[in-house]
């Protein structure tokens, strides 16, 4: 199965004048105050800002997880918000909106997303290139045009562009680069029923499907591009015309698999660059020709696992190299045989955990490192013994700061 949905955060401006972290997810309260599904927090002090977009959906219909925010993207003074909701910032918007980063009011930007389903339109990924906002989700119509799983919208007018690659299934990952948009998910065709399985490259200007066709035989969860190579992770057994188990490198020009073949024996959820290696996180016990549990560093030349071996005892959902260490989050309890529940900082040379040792009682699937503090999001009730629900700021001593936390609605378990 795919990684669990969790909290999403974005930090648009980190300066002495304005240091705001916008957070979205499934929560209803932040720091004891009502903030449904979207909030703004001062990065330095942890103070909840008065900024409140008042995200709602009627009916709540909790069987799909209820209203929530799945993706955020900041562009200048706007915060683009994607998820499942019907009102935000004082306006009716189904699943997709632009709100002011200063007032929290919805702008006149209205993509007119609509679904006859009781829960309304739903969006789960955003990317921007030039004046185009790319959105992935599901709507009966968008901008007055019959909906699809992937669309392009004008950032100025919200008009739906002719850009229309028409995947026939959900898109999970969007990466714009070099005039192209790379899309990964669960689909088997694009455009006029042209075969494209789970991974495609689309002209970011015209929406034309390129000839690039790696054709992984199952879904793609993570995309990382370095130079002329597209690294992909997920759950698949073949890609680019070659057997490739769950992680692969594909030539950005030809779509063919390169000789690089670490062959993970389980799902890959996270990819991150580190020097001459690719850091890989997921749910596996062997990769790169070695026994590696949940985490590995794979040499970009040989595809062999390096000696770096943190040895997580369960799933790794996110990897963030920062501050000369490598942070990882997941549902693991131990790293290298030592207790490090769900969150760890690793020495980039040895793979051993550093002395930084916070713990949570759930799982972590989002990490941001800002101004020396680590912000962790996921599903948990405490950090290092201090009550913190689903979102926490952790200092250099591994302790939760006075920063606020996000509490799930009482109708759903945290």
């Amino acid at each position: 199965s795919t990684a669990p949905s969790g909290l999403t955060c974005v930090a648009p401006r980190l300066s002495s004048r304005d240091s705001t972290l916008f957070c979205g997810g499934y929560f209803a309260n932040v720091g004891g105050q009502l903030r449904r599904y979207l909030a703004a927090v001062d990065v330095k002090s942890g103070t909840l800002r008065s900024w409140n977009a008042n995200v709602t959906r009627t009916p709540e219909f909790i069987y799909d997880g209820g209203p929530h925010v799945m993706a955020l993207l900041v562009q200048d003074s706007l915060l683009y918000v994607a998820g499942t909701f019907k009102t935000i910032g004082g306006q009716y918007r189904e699943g997709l909106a632009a709100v002011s980063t200063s007032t929290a009011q919805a702008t006149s930007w209205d993509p007119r997303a609509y679904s006859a389903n009781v829960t309304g339109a739903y969006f789960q990924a955003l990317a921007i290139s030039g004046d185009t906002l790319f959105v992935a989700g599901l709507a009966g119509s968008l901008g007055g045009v019959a909906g699809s799983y992937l669309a392009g919208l004008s950032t100025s007018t919200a008009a739906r562009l002719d850009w229309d690659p028409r995947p026939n299934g959900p898109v999970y990952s969007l990466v714009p680069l070099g005039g192209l948009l790379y899309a990964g998910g669960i689909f088997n065709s694009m455009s006029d029923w042209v075969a494209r399985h789970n991974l495609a490259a689309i002209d970011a200007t015209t929406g034309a499907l390129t000839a690039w066709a790696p054709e992984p035989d199952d879904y793609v969860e993570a995309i990382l591009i370095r130079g002329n190579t597209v690294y992909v992770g997920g759950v698949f057994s073949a890609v680019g015309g070659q057997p490739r188990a769950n992680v692969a490198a594909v030539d950005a020009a030809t779509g063919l698999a390169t000789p690089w073949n670490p062959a993970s024996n389980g799902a890959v959820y996270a990819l991150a660059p580190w020097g001459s290696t690719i850091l890989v996180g997921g749910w596996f016990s062997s990769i790169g020709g070695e026994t590696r549990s949940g985490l590995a560093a794979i040499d970009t030349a040989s595809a062999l696992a390096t000696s770096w071996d943190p040895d997580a005892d369960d799933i790794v959902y996110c990897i963030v190299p920062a501050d000369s260490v490598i942070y990882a989050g997941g549902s693991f309890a131990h790293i290298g045989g030592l207790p490090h529940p769900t969150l760890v900082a690793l020495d980039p040379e040895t793979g051993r955990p550093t002395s930084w040792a916070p713990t949570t009682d759930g799982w972590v699937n989002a990490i941001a490192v800002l101004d020396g503090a680590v912000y962790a999001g996921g599903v948990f009730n405490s950090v290092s013994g201090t009550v913190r629900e689903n979102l926490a700021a952790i200092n250099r001593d591994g302790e939760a700061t006075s920063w606020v936390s996000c509490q799930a609605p009482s109708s759903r378990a945290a």
Side-chain angles (χ1 to χ4, degrees):
S1 61
T2 61
S5 297
L7 181 119
T8 180
C9 300
V10 61
R13 294 186 295 245
L14 295 175
S15 68
S16 58
R17 284 195 310 126
D18 188 0
S19 299
T20 301
L21 189 72
F22 292 100
C23 300
Y26 289 78
F27 53 83
N29 296 280
V30 178
Q33 298 185 50
L34 185 66
R35 290 291 187 278
R36 289 188 176 272
Y37 322 117
L38 183 61
V41 183
D42 185 280
V43 170
K44 297 182 184 298
S45 68
T47 304
L48 177 69
R49 295 196 184 280
S50 59
W51 191 96
N52 185 359
N54 291 305
V55 180
T56 66
R57 188 183 78 187
T58 303
E60 288 204 354
F61 191 75
I62 64 172
Y63 302 105
D64 68 339
H68 56 272
V69 168
M70 282 293 291
L72 300 171
L73 192 154
V74 170
Q75 180 79 348
D76 299 325
S77 62
L78 297 180
L79 175 68
Y80 293 99
V81 185
T84 172
F85 49 82
K86 291 191 175 180
T87 62
I88 183 172
Q91 299 293 327
Y92 186 88
R93 300 283 189 269
E94 283 194 24
L96 187 61
V99 298
S100 166
T101 56
S102 58
T103 68
Q105 294 299 300
T107 71
S108 59
W109 191 87
D110 182 5
R112 292 183 292 146
Y114 169 76
S115 173
N117 190 299
V118 66
T119 58
Y122 171 78
F123 297 91
Q124 59 194 10
L126 299 171
I128 199 163
S129 178
D131 297 326
T132 302
L133 179 72
F134 301 105
V135 297
L138 183 60
S141 65
L142 185 63
V145 180
S148 69
Y149 291 98
L150 183 59
L153 302 169
S154 167
T155 56
S156 57
T157 67
R160 182 169 177 172
L161 307 179
D162 290 339
W163 192 93
D164 190 10
R166 301 197 303 281
N168 70 337
V171 173
Y172 297 143
S173 303
L174 295 174
V175 178
L177 186 69
L180 298 177
L181 180 72
Y182 294 87
I186 303 178
F187 47 83
N188 57 39
S189 74
M190 282 197 174
S191 189
D192 295 326
W193 300 104
V194 178
R196 284 295 182 276
H197 289 81
N198 309 310
L199 183 62
I202 303 147
D203 187 295
T205 301
T206 67
L209 184 65
T210 71
W212 193 77
E215 298 292 277
D217 61 356
D218 211 330
Y219 73 85
V220 170
E221 184 81 22
I223 301 173
L224 170 67
I225 303 174
R226 297 187 77 180
N228 296 320
T229 304
V230 180
Y231 295 92
V232 292
V235 176
F236 47 80
S237 60
V239 65
Q242 298 293 328
R244 294 290 185 267
N246 306 310
V247 62
V250 180
D251 187 285
T254 66
L256 299 177
T258 74
W260 193 82
N261 183 17
S264 169
N265 72 338
V268 169
Y269 295 131
L271 299 171
W274 184 259
S276 61
T277 69
I278 301 296
L279 302 177
V280 181
W283 194 10
F284 49 80
S285 59
S286 71
I287 189 173
E290 301 288 347
T291 298
R292 294 289 184 270
S293 180
L295 268 171
I298 307 299
D299 186 273
T300 54
S302 68
L304 297 177
T306 70
S307 59
W308 193 79
D309 183 14
D311 190 26
D313 66 356
D314 210 325
I315 304 173
V316 173
Y317 290 122
C318 54
I319 307 170
V320 179
D323 294 343
S324 300
V325 298
I326 296 169
Y327 294 97
S331 57
F332 49 82
H334 295 82
I335 296 287
L338 301 173
H340 281 271
T342 74
L343 190 59
V344 69
L346 300 163
D347 186 292
E349 300 298 327
T350 67
R352 301 291 295 172
T354 69
S355 59
W356 189 79
T359 63
T360 83
D361 60 352
W363 68 70
V364 171
N365 60 5
I367 295 173
V369 182
L370 306 169
D371 291 352
V374 176
Y375 300 85
V379 179
F380 49 81
N381 297 302
S382 68
V383 175
S384 299
T386 301
V387 175
R388 290 290 183 271
E389 296 200 55
N390 307 318
L391 174 65
I394 304 164
N395 63 23
R396 295 182 185 277
D397 296 323
E399 299 172 347
T401 71
S402 57
W403 217 68
V404 299
S405 59
C406 300
Q407 183 176 3
S410 57
S411 58
R412 291 194 300 281

